[in-house]
Amino acid sequence: MLIQLIYRSRSHFTWKSQELQALGAESAARNQQQHIFGLLLYDGEYFMQVLEGEAAVVDALYARIAADTRHTDVVLLLRDPIPQTHFNQWHVGTLDMRDGLLLNSSARWRHWCATLGMQADQGHRAVRFVEAFVRGRWRDPVPAVAWFSDSPQPPTPPTSSAAVLPLVAQRPQDWLATQPRWAAGPGSQGGHAHRAHFALQPIVHTRDVRISSVEALLRGPQGESPQSVLAAVPPEAVHRFDLYSKADAIALAAALKLDCTLSVNLLPMSLVSHADAVDFLVAQCQRHHWPLHRLMVEVTEEEAITHIDAFRQAVQRLRASGIQVAIDDFGAGHAGLSLLAEFQPDTLKLDKRIIQGVHASGPRQAIVRSVIEFCFCLGITVVAEGVEGPEEWQWLHAAGVRRFQGYWFARPGFQCVPPVSWPTVLQAQATGTGF
Ligand code: C2E
Ligand code: MN
Ligand code: MN
């Protein structure tokens, strides 16, 4: 199978014109043997390269290129099958964009494409990527990898708030059972009428080096997953259980004396199947002296879309009460943009499938950048979920994201707020010894 692969990277040093030509000649000789064709652009700092050839050969070459220490920030922009190669006249032609390559008019651009053997209006993806590059895209001011390459420090001892926990964990009463108003009807209480447990995961603000919010994730008494807890509840009681369990999340956050926002997850139907659902949340906040503006309800994009009218009503009521609204797992569903056209939440949480590998994936970068842009315009706070390593955080931070949730900073802690593993570079900032 023939494929086309495009990447961009940033050179560690400035190549002189002759050095670049030598590099081109060296790779052309190698590519000729392997029947690889393509184009290498260099602007004095960044490279963009198009490679076309047999999949296995191109992939192997890309793996070697990605490991080459002469450049960094290697980002895969495209890898797709093609019916035929487009650059057959070159076993990688090298173009030094410093050679007075002024492409500021479409006539010049067309002329330039023609000299390359590309048809400017043919619509090849490669041509468009090259055009984007020539017109200044794909040059992110991402700081050098070495700057952030240190891993987080090992966890520090639990903070004092965790010490309050046993009191909460040993609360004897069965919450639903003691509150008949909320309890399920006769015979349907079953095994679900217990106090709900939560794992708390910090969401960190890495410019201010603080925990900006804590998400309460439903757990069974032994730490079982939210799915298994909800599956054990009779179907007709799921929404009621989902809603009422939040009283325990609020109680827990209040008992831990958290001074940040508490995020809770709810199915949209949990909010609308009871007319007084929002009143219930408000009452629980008042009971525990939890300020309403420090409660945030997270609803997944998928669920919000499938229950659009219900979601619309729920958002109105939450807004009216002062409770914040977040769209969770943005980008995982199928209709996120049309949802956003209708409702603008306070916070948008980018799904981990978009975040993971963002530092090396052109499509993810382009998507995330546009999300950051429209959230900026609309006053929506962006949270990146599922940050598992320093590279993702580094790229996202450089792109302007400030709030992060992920194992790299802190895993969820059962009934407690676990300590955050701040990257060393931020610890230095926190103690005022410079960034
Ligand atoms: P979510 O709201 O998107 O919560 C984040 C999930 O990602 C959590 O899984 C968390 O443990 C996990 N996570 C956090 N950081 C990382 C990371 O760096 N890498 C990876 N791979 N995962 C990470 P969890 O606790 O299993 O929850 C799964 C989902 O269950 C939640 O996704 C949420 O949609 C739902 N859920 C949780 N609590 C409730 C609840 O009280 N009610 C309802 N209706 N749904 C809930
Ligand atoms: Mn969530
Ligand atoms: Mn999520």
Side-chain angles (χ1 to χ4, degrees), residues 3 68 80 116 127 159 163 172 225 241 248 271 282 318 346 368 385 387 426:
I3 61 160
D68 193 321
D80 261 347
L116 293 180
V127 177
T159 55
S225 72
F241 173 80
D248 292 311
L271 280 170
V282 170
L318 288 168
D346 300 281
V368 171
E385 289 190 324
V387 177
L426 294 183

Side-chain angles (χ1 to χ4, degrees), residues 265 296-305 311 315 319 324-333 335-351 374 380-383 385:
N265 297 277
M296 179 172 311
V297 169
E298 296 188 4
V299 175
T300 65
E301 179 196 322
E302 199 83 35
E303 292 157 355
I305 279 292
F311 183 65
V315 168
R319 281 263 151 81
Q324 299 188 61
V325 183
I327 292 184
D328 204 352
D329 302 344
F330 186 82
L337 290 178
S338 63
L339 179 68
L340 268 181
E342 298 280 337
F343 309 102
Q344 295 79 47
D346 300 281
T347 293
L348 185 148
K349 300 183 76 177
L350 274 166
D351 191 64
F374 71 64
I380 298 170
T381 302
V382 178
V383 172
E385 289 190 324

Side-chain angles (χ1 to χ4, degrees), residues 3 59 69 73 76 112 128 135 148-149 154 170 195-196 217 236 252-253 267 302 322 341-342 370:
I3 61 160
D59 286 340
T69 53
D73 299 330
L76 181 64
W112 190 67
R128 297 195 189 169
R135 296 187 193 280
F148 276 125
S149 62
Q170 286 159 19
R195 188 172 67 78
L217 299 156
E236 67 280 5
L252 179 61
L267 298 162
E302 199 83 35
E342 298 280 337
S370 67

